[in-house]
Amino acid sequence: MASCPFLFTPRSPPLIATHRRPTLASRAHLPVSSRSRLSRREGCPCRCASSSSSGRDGPQERPPRSRQRKQRTQRPSRDDAIDPVGFLAKHGISDRAFAQFLRDRYKALKDRRWELHSRLIDLKEASSGFELMGMHRHRQHRMDFMEWAPGARYCSLVGDFNQWSITENCAREGHLGHDDFGYWTIILEDNLKEGQEPDEYYFQEYNYVDDYDKGDNGVDVEELIRRMNEEYWEPGEVRSQKSRLEVVAKLYEQMFGPNGPQTDEELGDIPDAETRYNEWKALQKDDSASSLPCYDIIDNGQEFDIFNVVTDRVSFEKFQGKSPPLAYWVEMRKGRKAWMEKYVPAISHKDKYRVYFNTPDGALERIPAWATYVLPDAVGKQSYAVHWEPPPEEIYKWRFGRPKVKGSLRIYECHVGISGSEQKISSFQEFTSNVLTHIKDAGYNAIQLIGILEHKDYSSVGYKVTNYFAVSSRFGTPDDFKKLVDEAHGLGLVILLDIVHSYASSDELVGLSLFDGSNDCYFHSGKRGHHKYWGTRIFKYDDVDVLHFLLSNLNWWVTEYRIDGFQFHSLPSMLYTHNGFSTFTGAMEEYYNQYVDKDALIYLIIANEMLHELHPDIITIAEDATFYPGLCEPTTQGGLGFDYWVNLSVPEMWLWHLENVSEHEWSMTKIMEVLVSINSNMLSYVENHNQSISGRKSFAEIILQKEKHSNSSVDDGLVFRTSSLLNLIKLITFTTSGGAYLNFIGNEFAHPKRIEFPMSSNDYSFRLANRQWELLDKGIHKHIFNFDKDIMSLDEKEKLISRGSPNVHHCDDTSMIIAKTKLIVITR
């Protein structure tokens, strides 16, 4: 028998204000309203928690609070202790060098978090870049565009809206147009229609989307301020100043005016700041009419800490209880109809545009990195971004909420483009109408979509992504994809995306490569920035702005399209500088040697923490052929924080047996060793797209061809033997999975043909880029589909694959018998 190759806390500073703030000597002479504003801004009372009752007299000191927010992690509570090597004892790993690597990685993780928080406050802010970047409608009758291109010297927008002029809509000079981090801002003012007068107030806002049919209440600023003074502010809370120099003038007059000290003797000794402040405060006790908050900020020359300010509890609780007066300003907004009467949009819905850069190497035109809809280049035409801003009446309205998966995941993996029976690229609409109901009837509860992100090369199956925030325009519009997700949710199906953050397309005209003319904008420079075998680019995972881009990309798909989870594709490409193309022996050294990219590991930890913190029901799956230790362990215990990991050895093991060993000589022992060696949180599958696409054949095609070679005709016995072998392989794999099972589109009924995308080698033919749905009701395919459907129904009723690892009682190679059970958990 042939051999089987698959068995292998910082210290809190004192209560103080910084010396860079105005001194108490100058504050003592400020009006109460000005002093209150300074105190509110510096003390930041709105972020402090209550620590005493309002009945106590005098100022109360709140306990110190750490500057850095404690990170929420997956599954463990916030109070769980952090142990960077916690999962090693659980799995019996005693490698000291690997333990030290995990401790060093945790130190680097804390530094990376600090870098992120120093720029972007917290994980929510770090993953919400899509709210600012790219093209956005501003309420003040304009469009705002922001792009990150640190290597550019000049930035402008060109498109249909300005006849592709490189000078008409450019970023302003100075920090208003270009900041120190390389972010460019361009403002496109809406055009005033002929005969219309400009708005009376420059801050006039319009409702474009939210309550777009409301507005035009006729409230002017004077009336608004009068109502605020009468209804919102209490007596003494508003003290107006005649001029911004009023306080300065009073201070100057007091010191140098005719009544001020004329000699050093008259000036006398100047008391210290705290004494002068106490004297000033004693004079304010007689001002009983003042209802301003009373904040004591003592400046002793130490570093200022906004979390430790002595406050008056009554004033603090009163301030916390008052909501901001935003409702008054909302009344000033005008409706969309008023905007349409007065303005012509600077850029209209479906207008084409690109971003223009002037770089040290010359002029460049690029597709914006944050573009949400892109049309790839056609014959003789360059690709471009499309401004997607449909009228509010035409925006897709979500109908169904997100379903929740109870128990195991039964995933149906599919590619929209090949989901039809015709020899063409299928669309989102066709998939929604024809395939969703089949998936539901087949008994699956999750759909994993591949090739959804925009990609220039269709033959890459969608893995060479060019535009990370855009759905592939080959399949339809963004609203078409929203409808697909919504209809799937209505059927109780969750949607998972196969996300590719391990590498990106090297295309320079459509993708991110050399985006701003420099070789190290989004990707590493030199050899490290290029995949050794696939010709793709590797992200620079240690850069804050690149992390901002990648984290925002994950959050974008969950927020905008209500995606329920992600499978992180081909992790070895990012985890190792050799991109996973190396012989792995299973030695622990291979997981912490010089070829391991620590920055990529840190990114995966932060990504999982962000997703599970902002979206607690999210599902994350790791596709890692090297089985990196701790993939599904909590991040607080040294793991990467995934929910499931894909066991890639299972389909390779079955493929090897089918191609090299007669089924009468299969070793049950070796098969079960691969299937149950590590079962926790394991996603298993018989064959996915890899077995059908990468120049290989489907299992059904392999078995049928072997039987046809050994039999002159196809009879009922051949059909029975073929279906039985495929069904047994499915049943064994399904019942040994660790909570999740995956099937590729068509394999549930033993699709007889492989998949081959149009490419030069096949003259760009679509002959094998489809699915033969007519076979569902015919012969062997009908038998296999019914068996697959029964397995799914069994798991739906008995929660079979979510019970944990199976107990193997008997495994005999001679008789080829496997006896196993799974624990039944009964809850009351």
Side-chain angles (χ1 to χ4, degrees), residues 5 80 152 223 228 521 702-703:
D80 287 348
E223 173 66 15
M228 290 175 61
C521 182
I702 294 174
I703 296 176

Side-chain angles (χ1 to χ4, degrees), residues 616-737:
D617 296 324
I618 204 75
I619 300 169
T620 57
I621 304 172
E623 185 190 62
D624 178 19
T626 67
F627 308 127
Y628 196 88
L631 282 174
C632 293
E633 296 299 328
T635 57
T636 56
Q637 300 300 303
L640 301 186
F642 288 97
D643 296 300
Y644 299 94
W645 62 279
V646 182
N647 191 343
L648 298 171
S649 294
V650 174
E652 294 295 329
M653 179 266 295
W654 288 123
L655 179 63
W656 180 83
H657 277 85
L658 287 174
E659 292 182 338
N660 298 281
V661 184
S662 172
E663 59 267 23
H664 301 291
E665 299 179 4
W666 287 6
S667 170
M668 302 297 104
T669 303
K670 292 181 178 180
I671 290 174
M672 293 307 295
E673 285 180 0
V674 174
L675 290 173
V676 301
S677 57
I678 305 176
N679 185 268
S680 178
N681 301 95
M682 182 178 71
L683 186 154
S684 298
Y685 61 91
V686 175
E687 52 181 331
N688 72 347
H689 64 274
N690 288 329
Q691 276 63 44
S692 302
I693 293 176
S694 306
R696 300 179 177 182
K697 299 177 181 179
S698 67
F699 284 8
E701 189 174 4
I702 294 174
I703 296 176
L704 288 173
Q705 284 186 354
K706 288 177 64 176
E707 295 293 346
K708 288 179 181 179
H709 285 305
S710 59
N711 295 274
S712 58
S713 62
V714 178
D715 53 14
D716 293 339
L718 170 61
V719 171
F720 176 77
R721 288 176 55 189
T722 302
S723 61
S724 297
L725 184 58
L726 284 174
N727 289 340
L728 282 174
I729 291 176
K730 283 188 178 183
L731 180 63
I732 295 174
T733 305
F734 185 83
T735 54
T736 54
S737 61

Side-chain angles (χ1 to χ4, degrees), residues 9-16 61-68 300 302-309:
T9 315
R11 187 178 65 180
S12 299
L15 171 63
I16 45 168
E61 181 176 350
R62 293 193 302 280
R65 181 171 165 181
S66 175
R67 293 171 180 235
Q68 184 174 351
N300 57 6
Q302 301 296 323
E303 185 179 0
F304 177 55
D305 182 10
I306 63 173
F307 296 115
N308 292 320
V309 179

Side-chain angles (χ1 to χ4, degrees), residues 71-75 113 123 551 554 566 568 571 600-616 618-622 630-635 639-644:
Q71 291 298 306
R72 292 182 62 186
T73 56
Q74 177 192 5
R75 288 186 292 273
R113 285 173 179 162
L123 285 178
L551 294 174
L554 295 173
F566 300 96
F568 285 73
L571 293 187
L601 290 167
I602 291 173
Y603 161 67
L604 293 175
I605 294 173
I606 295 175
N608 273 296
E609 288 182 341
M610 180 275 295
L611 287 171
H612 288 91
E613 177 177 333
L614 301 184
H615 312 284
I618 204 75
I619 300 169
T620 57
I621 304 172
L631 282 174
C632 293
E633 296 299 328
T635 57
L640 301 186
F642 288 97
D643 296 300
Y644 299 94

Side-chain angles (χ1 to χ4, degrees), residues 3 11 93 168 170 364 392 499 529 576 578 584:
S3 61
R11 187 178 65 180
I93 301 175
E168 184 172 342
C170 61
L364 301 172
I499 198 77
Y576 308 97
H578 53 62
F584 276 82

